[in-house]
Amino acid sequence: MMNENKASNRMWGGRFASGPDAIMEAINASIGFDRKLYAQDIRGSLAHAAMLAETGIISTEDEKKIAHGLNTILSEIEAGKFEFSTRLEDIHMNVEARLAELIGPAAGRLHTARSRNDQVAVDFRLWVKEELLRIDVALGGLIEAFLVRAEEHAATVMPGFTHLQTAQPVTFGHHLMAYVEMFGRDRTRVRDAVERLDESPLGAAALAGTSFPIDRHMTAKTLGFREPTRNSIDTVSDRDFALEFLSVSAICATHLSRLAEEIVIWSTSQFGFIRLSDAFSTGSSIMPQKKNPDAAELVRAKTGRINGHLIGLLTVMKGLPLAYSKDMQEDKEAVFDAAETLDLMLAAMTGMIGDMEVNAAAMKKAAGSGFSTATDLADWLVREAGLPFREAHHVTGRAVALAEERKCGLEKLALSDLQAIHPAITENIFSVLSVGNSVKSRTSFGGTAPAEVRRQVRYWKKRLKRDASLEKKG
């Protein structure tokens, strides 16, 4: 029979050789990642201490000691002199223990009328809010980079695609402006998320509020929140703001991934539409002629990481009864990693858009392939010859079949050949069959005509300037 001690040692072997205490410490501790919240934790504690003194719950003298101690800890952490301990579990207890070392018994008064439940909620909300504001600025920078290139290429013709098949000619500027719209929506989602999370959890305590005469409106204002939350149970059990952050990040990352995919395609020798600088590409270890769009590929790949974090946290939250459960400790690593990943993706893409070299000749050549002006022919038959669109569609199909048989573009067919297909066709048809004239004709609001692209660029420039002005006033 196996010796009982040997069996025990084997059970708790490896990293956890010291037994269940080591396992519990390892699974329970969050200081390895929530130390990122140190600035927000200290900021929240300073606001809480000031409120406690203002309401007479603690003395002014104790509040001054607490404030001095907390600012000392902040300086220690920022100078890299603070020793974090897993034994103290999290950032809150690490700060509180050091505060007691610095100022003695007065430190014990700081936690009056609050719990780690509302403390972590306020810390995390502050961190997420600050990160959303950083993303908002980064998105503004990306949009500006697009506007510069879109204005530059407002008249550069390229093929427009559906199903990745040549559909109709468009301008490169118009194509780039599609991403401006996408990232513009991302920016509004970021701002909506800030608006929804802009309520202070501080004062909800463990889950039921507190009997102390606290002033939650004071702490909310001090911390830059619009107002305090209105239900203490929901306050400590809510992680909607973290889920929404991940959702916003996942949608934005998806847009970045679509753009990255197009950059990968455009930079191939088969397309040759763009060339990336050496700053955002690498060479092959074995094939000297290759230039790989690694930055774009990694942007594309990292989207899966952010999507995974969203699904992970949704799964954590889906079965939790009210109010707080320790499961919610799993929220931070997902958000922290998603934020870091998205920041990097936005920076990389802004750089790529800013310095990519555009091959306008290759784009123009490709724009005329695949009978891309066929729709222009059909539209002309409706507009000039009065044909019903279905009949015009049929006539155009016959013209395309003839051009395919002759191995030429529609604009190269003889007028007599086109008139043999339908007698209503005149020589004026050739005015719409070139790709340049095709894009110029698409003058509908939001269309690809160069003049319309420039109009949308002007709109977005004004919008960015207006947003910047509102931010300053705010």
Side-chain angles (χ1 to χ4, degrees), residues 137-152:
V137 171
L139 282 167
L142 178 58
I143 290 170
E144 284 178 357
F146 271 108
L147 293 178
V148 169
R149 303 316 299 271
E151 190 167 33
E152 181 185 346

Side-chain angles (χ1 to χ4, degrees), residues 143-144 146-154 173-174 176-177 180-181 450-464:
I143 290 170
E144 284 178 357
F146 271 108
L147 293 178
V148 169
R149 303 316 299 271
E151 190 167 33
E152 181 185 346
H153 292 283
H174 189 54
L176 294 176
M177 289 301 290
V180 169
E181 296 292 331
E452 186 59 26
V453 172
R454 293 187 183 102
R455 187 226 290 250
Q456 297 305 331
V457 168
R458 289 193 298 272
Y459 162 80
W460 273 98
K461 283 183 176 180
K462 288 178 183 176
R463 180 165 162 178
L464 288 181

Side-chain angles (χ1 to χ4, degrees), residues 105-123:
R109 301 190 186 282
L110 175 59
H111 211 53
T112 307
R114 78 173 181 184
S115 160
R116 273 195 289 179
N117 293 354
D118 62 335
Q119 189 178 358
V120 69
V122 76
D123 293 359

Side-chain angles (χ1 to χ4, degrees), residues 70-90:
L70 289 171
N71 283 315
T72 299
I73 293 168
L74 181 61
S75 298
E76 289 177 348
I77 295 174
E78 290 180 342
K81 296 177 181 178
F82 189 93
E83 290 188 20
F84 293 98
S85 168
T86 56
R87 183 178 54 81
L88 292 170
E89 295 183 19
D90 54 32

